[in-house]
Amino acid sequence: MTKSKVKPAPVPAVQSRSQAPTMADVAELAGVSPMTVSRVMNGDTNVREKTRNRVDAAVAALNYVPNQAARRLAGSRPIRVGFLYSNPSAGYLSEFLVGLLNQASPNNVQLVVEKCEADEHGVEQARRLIANGVDGIILPPPLCDVHNLIDLIATSGTPAITVACGQPDPRVGGVSIDDYQAAYAMTCHLIALGHQRIGFVIGHPNQSASARRLAGFRAAIAEKHVQSAPELIVQGQFTYRSGLDAAESLLGLAQRPTAVFASNDDMAAAVVAIAHRLGLDVPGDLTVAGFDDTALATTIWPELTTVRQPITAMAEEAVQSLVRLIRAQRNGTPEAPEHVVTKHTLVRRQSDAAPRLRPSAKIAGKAK
């Protein structure tokens, strides 16, 4: 009985000879998504060898031949990408734009750049971009965390990619690092140097990456049984100005920390500036660590020890991922968005050292 039911299966294949197999057919046979098939066909080197072999086998089994004319047409048609930004860090924005521009020309992408605020203004800007026919949208922080903005884009069916979002929305694509693990690793590094009293400057409270970095810091402090005190954790805004205020608070404590870990390089640079103003040697009297590894990290003295978030590479990946989504949509095989997690790196420079085994420096005539 079982064999007699299986025998008719080849009939649809014979009937389908008059209709060429599609990319969707290849994807079904290979057990992958049509986007993965497209990536293999386009020579994407990020596809696993095992997956590539399955796709190649399916292509051979179905005798699939891509419609080159259609592919050339789809590839030649310009792709209009809206880039909305609202970021107070000039260094971060500069590296992000470099990544976008690096991939714009090779992928025939026309960038539409709009500055906006992370509120209803951003939503209105996105609504206008969608009405004007952009093919996709890229959202860096803090816009990647604006929920009503994501709701609007997802509802419209416009492909989008968020970058550096701590908690990516599954309805849109994402490119990020693991902020929790990165902050955890930096905190463990400071503890390994011998620091037992570490200050932490939180990023903007409305950004999910800030919460993830704080969680990573706290996890390392708890795991290594290092001093934990409420006054050692100070709120920042990811701006240099907020870093100055945070540093004033931390370095003005009766028992100041021997190390300060700030959630971005702008705030870390501000901590170094206040330390210098107070007559503290960095790193002799105070170790300072940052996050992002923007150009600022190597233009101040001493150069910052920091977490390298590959901002330019993440922006490049965002363009590539968005282009794949848009082309899949144009080809009639829309794909579920992907979330790509890139690697972070702990970069040691001149701003960190073991705490000195001698009395702390005096500030304003008073031992700290």
Side-chain angles (χ1 to χ4, degrees):
M1 293 293 290
T2 303
K3 290 183 178 180
S4 64
K5 289 183 179 180
V6 174
K7 285 181 179 179
V11 174
V14 174
Q15 293 173 339
S16 67
R17 286 177 184 171
S18 60
Q19 183 178 358
T22 66
M23 186 180 292
D25 296 329
V26 175
E28 183 178 0
L29 183 59
V32 299
S33 67
M35 177 175 284
T36 300
V37 175
S38 176
R39 292 170 68 180
V40 171
M41 300 297 290
N42 286 308
D44 192 325
T45 57
N46 291 322
V47 180
R48 293 179 181 175
E49 187 65 26
K50 190 174 181 180
T51 302
R52 185 184 302 278
N53 291 339
R54 289 212 312 272
V55 172
D56 289 341
V59 167
L62 293 173
N63 196 24
Y64 172 65
V65 178
N67 186 329
Q68 297 297 334
R71 290 181 67 183
R72 283 194 297 271
L73 181 62
S76 63
R77 178 181 164 191
I79 294 174
R80 296 182 68 237
V81 170
F83 171 56
L84 294 175
Y85 74 94
S86 175
N87 196 309
S89 173
Y92 188 100
L93 181 60
S94 176
E95 293 197 27
F96 203 101
L97 283 170
V98 168
L100 296 182
L101 294 173
N102 283 348
Q103 288 299 316
S105 180
N107 288 284
N108 201 14
V109 168
Q110 298 174 348
L111 284 173
V112 181
V113 181
E114 297 279 357
K115 185 178 187 299
C116 61
E117 300 303 323
D119 52 21
E120 285 303 316
H121 180 238
V123 175
E124 286 305 313
Q125 290 285 80
R127 185 177 285 113
R128 184 170 61 82
L129 285 174
I130 293 169
N132 288 337
V134 295
D135 298 298
I137 294 176
I138 292 177
L139 300 174
L143 299 172
C144 59
D145 284 305
V146 179
H147 298 299
N148 52 347
L149 176 57
I150 302 295
D151 288 341
L152 169 68
I153 295 171
T155 301
S156 73
T158 304
I161 302 290
T162 61
V163 182
C165 181
Q167 297 287 348
D169 191 301
R171 296 174 297 174
V172 297
V175 181
S176 67
I177 64 168
D178 189 330
D179 292 279
Y180 176 95
Q181 286 297 331
Y184 174 87
M186 177 60 82
T187 308
C188 288
H189 167 67
L190 298 178
I191 294 170
L193 287 174
H195 295 282
Q196 293 292 303
R197 189 168 170 81
I198 304 171
F200 186 80
V201 185
I202 312 171
H204 197 289
N206 292 336
Q207 295 189 35
S208 56
S210 300
R212 294 282 293 167
R213 293 173 193 180
L214 175 60
F217 169 78
R218 282 179 162 156
I221 292 294
E223 181 181 303
K224 304 298 182 181
H225 306 292
V226 175
Q227 288 185 39
S228 176
E231 68 269 18
L232 290 176
I233 297 178
V234 182
Q235 184 66 59
Q237 301 287 327
F238 279 137
T239 63
Y240 186 86
R241 175 71 257 180
S242 69
L244 294 175
D245 295 338
E248 291 274 12
S249 175
L250 288 169
L251 301 184
L253 293 172
Q255 186 183 359
R256 64 174 174 80
T258 61
V260 175
F261 178 17
S263 292
N264 78 341
D265 292 337
D266 288 53
M267 296 191 297
V271 174
V272 172
I274 294 298
H276 287 164
R277 195 189 79 187
L278 295 175
L280 296 172
D281 177 67
V282 178
D285 297 311
L286 180 73
T287 278
V288 180
F291 203 111
D292 286 338
D293 198 25
T294 57
L296 181 60
T298 54
T299 54
I300 66 169
W301 179 84
E303 294 185 356
L304 278 175
T305 288
T306 188
V307 172
R308 176 176 294 156
Q309 179 173 214
I311 300 167
T312 298
M314 290 165 69
E316 292 174 346
E317 178 62 36
V319 174
Q320 294 169 0
S321 295
L322 186 59
V323 166
R324 287 195 294 267
L325 287 174
I326 292 168
R327 286 180 176 162
Q329 189 177 72
R330 286 180 177 180
N331 290 334
T333 56
E335 286 300 316
E338 297 179 335
H339 179 211
V340 178
V341 178
T342 59
K343 292 182 179 180
H344 62 269
T345 309
L346 196 158
V347 182
R348 287 198 70 185
R349 295 197 178 97
Q350 290 79 46
S351 68
D352 74 327
R356 282 181 174 171
L357 299 177
R358 62 174 177 75
S360 300
K362 292 184 177 181
I363 300 177
K366 180 175 68 175
K368 298 291 178 182

